[in-house]
Amino acid sequence: ELLLVESGGGLVQPGGSLRISCAVSGFTVSTSYLTWVRQAPGRGLEWVSVIFSGGNTYYADSVKGRFTISRHSSRNILYLEMNSLRPEDTAIYYCARAGDGYTAYDYDYWGQGTLVTVSS
Amino acid sequence: QSALTQPPSASGSPGQSVTISCTGTSSDVGGYNYVSWYQQHPGKAPKIMIHEVTKRPSGVPDRFSGSKSGNTAFLTVSGLQAEDEADYYCSSYGGSNNVIFGGGTKLTVL
């Protein structure tokens, strides 16, 4: 069974840093296209970042230079390192996978999300 | 890049059909056949319903279909059922290896 489980969310002050994780099972992070998508409370979905199977990474303009997506192959975990956090980064952060038969921009398995709150 | 434009709400009675639009530009929706649709029930993660404009993943009822004309994509739900009541989001490849989502449409089954 394919599973993605996010963790590490919480309350952080503006300007602070946080690293959230996405532990996966049933497939390997190193051979998959994996993405982070966020959803502010009561708002729509916003694409944040993607890491390709070859290791290339790409970011939304809103987080470029502040967020870093990475993966730990042996632990089978996806990360999102978030720095210089702003109140507008407050959201549920979902990790998701682009599976076989999908492009790198279509996500067939999602985690349950982890809430990041940026507030003083 | 701006979010894709979706109507905030749509509705239909059980058994009816409803179509939700998703309007972008020639740089995203109109430029690529990489439009997806996601269904999200309250408190749940999104679920992919359509990808690459018209492709339906296994397990998604054939009542759901996708299409595109110019810079606008469409999701049609036929034979509406109570469990179809949810928020629906479109997404499109936006070039430069990024993805743009629509603002979402709340579908109500009357």
Side-chain angles (χ1 to χ4, degrees):
Chain A
E1 183 187 9
L2 277 69
L3 278 177
L4 298 89
V5 180
E6 301 93 337
S7 62
L11 176 64
V12 61
Q13 292 190 336
S17 298
L18 193 67
R19 187 180 77 168
I20 57 177
S21 304
C22 174
V24 314
S25 57
F27 66 98
T28 56
V29 296
S30 58
T31 60
S32 302
Y33 293 98
L34 292 167
T35 194
W36 288 98
V37 173
R38 68 185 180 183
Q39 186 169 34
R43 306 293 296 274
L45 302 172
E46 181 186 14
W47 179 83
V48 173
S49 180
V50 65
I51 183 166
F52 284 6
S53 54
N56 290 349
T57 60
Y58 301 94
Y59 301 90
D61 288 344
S62 59
V63 306
K64 200 172 294 182
R66 301 187 299 124
F67 290 13
T68 302
I69 189 172
S70 64
R71 64 194 182 196
H72 196 298
S73 298
S74 62
R75 295 179 182 174
N76 223 22
I77 297 177
L78 175 73
Y79 298 107
L80 186 68
E81 182 81 36
M82 302 180 289
N83 298 315
S84 302
L85 281 161
R86 306 165 180 168
E88 55 263 37
D89 295 319
T90 295
I92 296 172
Y93 284 74
Y94 295 100
C95 61
R97 183 199 83 148
D100 295 339
Y102 292 85
T103 72
Y105 317 106
D106 306 313
Y107 310 117
D108 62 336
Y109 278 88
W110 295 64
Q112 85 290 348
T114 188
L115 177 62
V116 173
T117 303
V118 184
S119 175
S120 54
Chain B
Q1 285 160 305
S2 301
L4 307 176
T5 300
Q6 297 182 236
S9 63
S11 63
S13 299
Q16 289 186 331
S17 293
V18 64
T19 297
I20 299 170
S21 62
C22 169
T23 301
T25 70
S26 58
S27 297
D28 38 68
V29 174
Y32 308 94
N33 287 323
Y34 294 148
V35 175
S36 300
W37 290 91
Y38 296 88
Q39 177 192 66
Q40 187 180 35
H41 287 107
K44 301 294 187 182
K47 173 187 175 184
I48 193 164
M49 306 301 283
I50 296 288
H51 65 106
E52 294 174 78
V53 180
T54 61
K55 297 181 179 180
R56 192 173 49 250
S58 64
V60 173
D62 60 7
R63 303 184 292 103
F64 291 84
S65 62
S67 62
K68 190 182 83 167
S69 178
N71 297 336
T72 300
F74 303 93
L75 172 71
T76 298
V77 186
S78 306
L80 269 175
Q81 299 183 5
E83 58 262 34
D84 299 333
E85 184 162 297
D87 294 327
Y88 290 84
Y89 295 92
C90 63
S91 74
S92 174
Y93 178 63
S96 302
N97 292 295
N98 70 73
V99 175
I100 308 169
F101 280 95
T105 297
K106 182 177 181 59
L107 175 60
T108 301
V109 181
L110 302 171

